[in-house]
Amino acid sequence: MPHTEGRRSRVAVVTGGASGIGEAVCRHLAARGHRVAVLDLDGDGADRVAKALRADGAEALAAAADVTDRPALGAAFAEIRSALGPTEILVTSAGLVAFDRFEEITPERWDRLIDVNLTGTFNCCQMALPDMVAARWGRIVTISSSSAQRGSPEMAHYAAAKGGVIVLTKSLARAYAPHGITANSIPPSGIETPMQHRSQAEGNLPASATMAAAIPLGHLGTPDDIAAAAAFLASAEAGFITGQVLGVNGGSVL
Ligand code: NAP
């Protein structure tokens, strides 16, 4: 039987919502009728995205916060709760990438990459879960990375953090299944976003044509490719899917 519940408007918090994948996730969730909180370090960017969503008829709010700053994050979730309602969907797209030879990774650099990518995800999940438990319904979608699936020689810190995100997600799936909450991860690869373009401009990634040639489908992905999968995992229809890692990568990691 189809889930008529799928049409219900939920409150969705999207971290990293001001740019790239997170921005596309905001648009896809708003298009499904959800009320969207655009949470990002970049407050102006979050404002811009929230304004564009509202111009399209959605209910949306910008929340400027650093996912590593627990007091600021707590205040942001409280503001979202009072303006839009309790959090029912969380998509964690805020992330920081870095490329360093292993022997050159300083302890400070290691800590920063773990802090933003892994601890930031932990912080957001911990802030969102009490509302989901109270509602006996929730959806968590973490954005990890294909680098965690295959390893990455010049991104050991980033890949380790993203590997942690995958296992954190699987652990949440098992811990919160009895509460009607699902948790799944999407590890992107080769998605055209400002983050990828910066990495290319810095010479850390090859040009798009070279990257595309290494992808079985023969082209790079778009933020919309990831957002469509995230919106599905956040839907009522995906209620029997939890603890999974859904590759959206053109076949590059099989
Ligand atoms: P993006 O365009 O750089 O977007 C990331 C957003 O997260 C930016 O708005 C950024 O703000 C924000 N952010 C960074 N640190 C934050 C923090 N501490 N607190 C709150 N917000 C923060 O990158 P993207 O390519 O869309 O990446 C989205 C996610 O996908 C990331 O987790 C990334 O690791 C992952 N990913 C992407 C690819 C790809 O091919 N693009 C591949 C694998 C994984 P600022 O701009 O102000 O820093």
Side-chain angles (χ1 to χ4, degrees):
M1 200 176 80
H3 291 256
T4 47
E5 249 249 307
R7 299 194 194 289
R8 189 164 154 187
S9 169
R10 306 275 188 183
V11 174
V13 177
V14 182
T15 77
S19 178
I21 291 169
E23 179 175 353
V25 170
C26 289
R27 278 191 274 102
H28 280 242
L29 292 176
R32 285 179 176 239
H34 299 306
R35 288 158 278 156
V36 177
V38 185
L39 191 152
D40 206 288
L41 188 59
D42 172 6
D44 291 342
D47 271 335
R48 176 185 56 77
V49 174
K51 263 189 204 129
L53 297 177
R54 287 195 295 270
D56 281 344
E59 219 179 311
L61 173 83
D66 183 333
V67 296
T68 67
D69 180 345
R70 280 182 72 99
L73 209 50
F77 272 87
E79 187 195 339
I80 293 163
R81 193 176 298 111
S82 75
L84 299 180
T87 302
E88 297 163 292
I89 295 169
L90 172 69
V91 181
T92 61
S93 189
L96 174 69
V97 75
F99 298 79
D100 294 293
R101 291 163 55 84
F102 183 73
E103 57 274 28
E104 287 166 8
I105 298 175
T106 61
E108 294 72 24
R109 188 92 154 151
W110 175 268
D111 286 348
R112 182 70 186 143
L113 269 288
I114 298 290
D115 212 21
V116 174
N117 293 299
L118 178 54
T119 311
T121 303
F122 158 77
N123 287 338
C124 293
C125 292
Q126 212 170 48
M127 302 278 167
L129 273 160
D131 284 349
M132 297 182 187
V133 169
R136 298 201 56 77
W137 193 95
R139 296 281 184 267
I140 294 175
V141 182
T142 62
I143 305 298
S144 47
S145 168
S146 65
S147 64
Q149 296 173 294
R150 59 183 162 207
S152 189
E154 300 212 330
M155 303 168 88
H157 37 19
Y158 175 79
K162 292 295 194 175
V165 168
I166 290 175
V167 183
L168 168 65
T169 308
K170 286 173 177 271
S171 302
L172 292 176
R174 297 190 66 159
Y176 288 93
H179 299 274
I181 297 164
T182 68
N184 295 286
S185 193
I186 299 175
S189 182
I191 306 299
E192 298 261 30
T193 67
M195 178 188 278
Q196 183 183 288
H197 295 151
R198 275 193 304 274
S199 300
Q200 288 172 319
E202 290 160 4
N204 289 315
L205 285 177
S208 293
T210 310
M211 289 180 74
I215 296 173
L217 279 177
H219 60 87
L220 290 167
T222 67
D224 284 317
D225 291 323
I226 304 296
F232 166 66
L233 290 173
S235 71
E237 288 88 340
F240 200 51
I241 303 173
T242 196
Q244 303 304 304
V245 178
L246 176 60
V248 181
N249 52 40
S252 31
V253 184
L254 298 171

